Amino acid sequence: MQIFDFHGYSLEAILFAAALLVTISVIASRISSRFGIPLLLVFLGIGMLAGSDGVGGIVFDNYRMAFAVGSACLALIVFDGGMSTSWSSVRPVLRRGISLSVLGTLFTGAATATFANLVLRMHWSDSILLGAIVSSTDAAAVFSLLRARSVSLQGTVKQTLEFEAASNDPIAIFLTVGVLLFISNPAAGVVEFSKLLVMQAGIGLAFGYLGGLGLRWVINNAGIEYEGLYGVLALGLVVGLFALTGLLGGSGFLAIYVAGIVLGNNEMLHKASISRFLDGIAWIAQIIVFLMLGLLSFPTRVFPVWKEGLLLAVFMMFIARPLAVFLAVPGRNILWRERVFISWVGLRGAAPVILATYPWSIHFPRAEYIFDLVFFVVISSVIAQGISIPWLAKTLQITVPLVKPRSIDFAAGILPAGFLNIEIHVSEDAAAAGQKVVDLELPAGVILTSVERGDRFLIPRGDTLIETGDRIFGLARQTNLDTLRDIFGKTEVLT
């Protein structure tokens, strides 16, 4: 007897299909590492193949469900971005990063809206909404591609892109929600619209900072016996903060991003296991949202808008993004090679496609057309920009190898499993210079064993002051290398 029935499918059939899609997606992630194809494209492709126009034949056109699930998943992704933002590494590029995330997002949206109105002949309300939706970037895809090619960005480019991509999603969400509210209630006027934005930003920032401190206090004082439950506690607190901020009229996305930064840059009980748990949850959220958006897209409906979509994608890649980078970071504040690279990696990712489901929430009359157009632009951006990023980074000579071989012979078997011998040279502009070891907030799995300073060797302690020119030796995991370069500067693996 079939107790549960959903559109003719049993519960077992739905669970089997969901498990199969998630499993295939995880295994297919190897394609990204081997061939340099963005994970977003892999997951979306699997969703499209499983959809009604693909071989799977799964019919899914519930935009309201996509809006709800997509918002929840995006919230978890945004929080994870905040947790992984190292304050010590972004501090040197804070002004540039804020300018790119705020002004760059606004300029990109404004330029795109103008192009859509003048060239694509879209109505102004549609054009402004479209500009807000596609204004954010996705640097996570950029760094996964670079890691697949065993390269890392040098200088401050990496920190700049990481901060911009993690912080411009809340800005784009902010703009999209604001534009939709204005479209649904045009009588409100510019003053009311501005008040709403100020309230959303103010409550979001306040709840994010205070909520982050509150979450940390609860975690540190919960007194739970089982370590594994701390990650579940953190997840519940984060979702609760997101929902509460939204209920009180603030931006929940901004609040949890700020809370993520607060938690990620302060010590708390079982921080390593909590971070691993939340990172896994963020991966699940990404897979779910990409598969769902792939199912939601109908190739037979997307292809008819290829001309408009291609024009818009080319404009954004070659005009809107470079112009936004130039206006947001003018003059000689950035090297020309870095400017070219940052301009090209304005990759459109998951956020625009999720935001493209928002117009359905207010029954916007041209919601379907905007979704199809945004989907085509994202696919074009991922293919054209995503695949060319590693080549461009090497061509512009702004990369360093993730692992640099050394001609030093070490006895085999002396290192703990998974650890590497590292040598650090503290550069002049390093965030660590002048800081105590205890204040560096080194990632879990990093052990500093000795510091060579002139003709002296020191055993580093919590109160040891790091100085420019120090040569530091220690142990670290492969995944810690990028963070150590952000903190200290030149970091090499001794092999």
Side-chain angles (χ1 to χ4, degrees):
M1 184 178 69
Q2 186 171 303
I3 300 174
F4 178 87
D5 181 274
F6 183 78
H7 291 285
Y9 296 102
S10 67
L11 174 63
E12 292 79 9
I14 293 173
L15 289 176
F16 179 77
L20 185 62
L21 287 175
V22 171
T23 304
I24 291 173
S25 298
V26 173
I27 295 173
S29 65
R30 295 185 61 184
I31 298 173
S32 175
S33 301
R34 181 168 297 183
F35 299 105
I37 300 174
L39 274 175
L40 183 153
L41 190 60
V42 173
F43 295 154
L44 278 178
I46 293 172
M48 293 174 72
L49 286 172
S52 57
D53 285 350
V55 295
I58 299 174
V59 179
F60 179 73
D61 58 357
N62 192 329
Y63 288 89
R64 285 187 172 275
M65 181 184 291
F67 166 78
V69 174
S71 297
C73 290
L74 185 58
L76 295 172
I77 295 168
V78 168
F79 176 77
D80 185 61
M83 277 282 289
S84 60
T85 300
S86 170
W87 191 249
S88 59
S89 66
V90 302
R91 192 186 295 123
V93 297
L94 191 59
R95 183 179 299 178
R96 181 195 300 178
I98 291 176
S99 183
L100 278 171
S101 64
V102 179
L103 297 180
T105 303
L106 290 173
F107 290 148
T108 300
T112 303
T114 304
F115 178 83
N117 176 255
L118 298 179
V119 178
L120 303 184
R121 302 298 180 184
M122 294 176 64
H123 189 272
W124 264 117
S125 60
D126 298 11
S127 302
I128 295 172
L129 179 59
L130 178 64
I133 288 173
V134 297
S135 59
S136 68
T137 59
D138 184 1
V142 175
F143 297 123
S144 67
L145 287 169
L146 291 172
R147 281 194 297 270
R149 290 292 179 266
S150 297
V151 293
S152 178
L153 300 176
Q154 66 182 14
T156 57
V157 180
K158 180 177 181 292
Q159 299 100 300
T160 301
L161 287 173
E162 278 186 330
F163 182 81
E164 181 203 6
S167 58
N168 69 7
D169 276 351
I171 303 298
I173 296 164
F174 203 58
L175 289 175
T176 303
V177 172
V179 171
L180 283 172
L181 289 172
F182 186 72
I183 291 173
S184 61
N185 185 22
V190 176
V191 175
E192 292 299 319
F193 177 68
S194 301
K195 285 181 180 178
L196 175 67
L197 293 183
V198 170
M199 185 173 74
Q200 284 234 324
I203 295 176
L205 286 170
F207 270 60
Y209 180 71
L210 296 175
L213 295 177
L215 264 60
R216 177 173 175 262
W217 185 89
V218 171
I219 290 170
N220 286 341
N221 293 276
I224 301 173
E225 183 178 353
Y226 302 103
E227 181 180 349
L229 286 177
Y230 277 89
V232 181
L233 173 64
L235 177 63
L237 292 171
V238 168
V239 174
L241 177 63
F242 171 73
L244 180 61
T245 307
L247 285 173
L248 296 177
S251 171
F253 293 100
L254 183 60
I256 59 172
Y257 174 66
V258 174
I261 293 178
V262 173
L263 286 179
N265 289 273
N266 284 285
E267 291 303 319
M268 62 180 176
L269 204 60
H270 304 302
K271 183 177 181 180
S273 62
I274 290 174
S275 297
R276 285 193 297 270
F277 175 81
L278 293 176
D279 185 59
I281 294 295
W283 271 111
I284 293 173
Q286 289 190 58
I287 292 174
I288 289 174
V289 77
F290 291 150
L291 288 175
M292 181 187 67
L293 294 174
L295 289 171
L296 197 62
S297 68
F298 293 83
T300 54
R301 211 176 60 205
V302 173
F303 289 141
V305 302
W306 73 269
K307 290 182 181 178
E308 301 98 312
L310 192 59
L311 282 172
L312 188 62
V314 170
F315 173 79
M316 293 191 69
M317 285 187 279
F318 292 98
I319 299 177
R321 172 65 177 180
L323 180 63
V325 172
F326 176 79
L327 293 174
V329 190
R332 299 181 179 179
N333 296 334
I334 186 173
L335 298 175
W336 72 268
R337 290 183 299 176
E338 296 178 351
R339 187 185 297 278
V340 170
F341 187 77
I342 292 174
S343 297
W344 182 246
V345 298
L347 195 70
R348 308 300 126 181
V353 190
I354 296 172
L355 292 178
T357 65
Y358 279 34
W360 294 88
S361 65
I362 64 166
H363 304 288
F364 191 72
R366 290 164 297 282
E368 183 177 293
Y369 174 75
I370 289 179
F371 178 87
D372 294 338
L373 195 59
V374 170
F375 194 88
F376 189 92
V377 169
V378 170
I379 294 295
S380 302
S381 173
V382 170
I383 293 174
Q385 293 172 284
I387 295 176
S388 63
I389 282 170
W391 169 83
L392 181 64
K394 291 178 181 178
T395 301
L396 293 173
Q397 298 180 340
I398 57 171
T399 65
V400 292
L402 280 176
V403 179
K404 184 174 181 180
R406 299 273 296 196
S407 57
I408 301 178
D409 188 22
F410 286 88
I414 63 171
L415 291 179
F419 280 82
L420 303 168
N421 261 309
I422 59 169
E423 178 180 338
I424 297 168
H425 296 264
V426 182
S427 58
E428 228 176 275
D429 58 344
Q435 300 287 322
K436 293 180 180 178
V437 172
V438 70
D439 296 326
L440 297 180
E441 298 176 350
L442 297 174
V446 173
I447 303 172
L448 304 183
T449 55
S450 65
V451 178
E452 182 181 353
R453 183 174 297 162
D455 56 354
R456 294 186 301 152
F457 276 87
L458 310 174
I459 303 299
R461 301 185 306 177
D463 60 352
T464 300
L465 199 66
I466 301 299
E467 297 181 3
T468 299
D470 280 353
R471 190 179 176 199
I472 305 174
F473 298 89
L475 302 175
R477 299 184 186 276
Q478 177 76 47
T479 53
N480 299 141
L481 298 182
D482 278 348
T483 303
L484 291 175
R485 290 191 181 103
D486 293 341
I487 297 173
F488 294 100
K490 186 178 179 183
T491 301
E492 300 174 339
V493 176
L494 305 178
T495 60

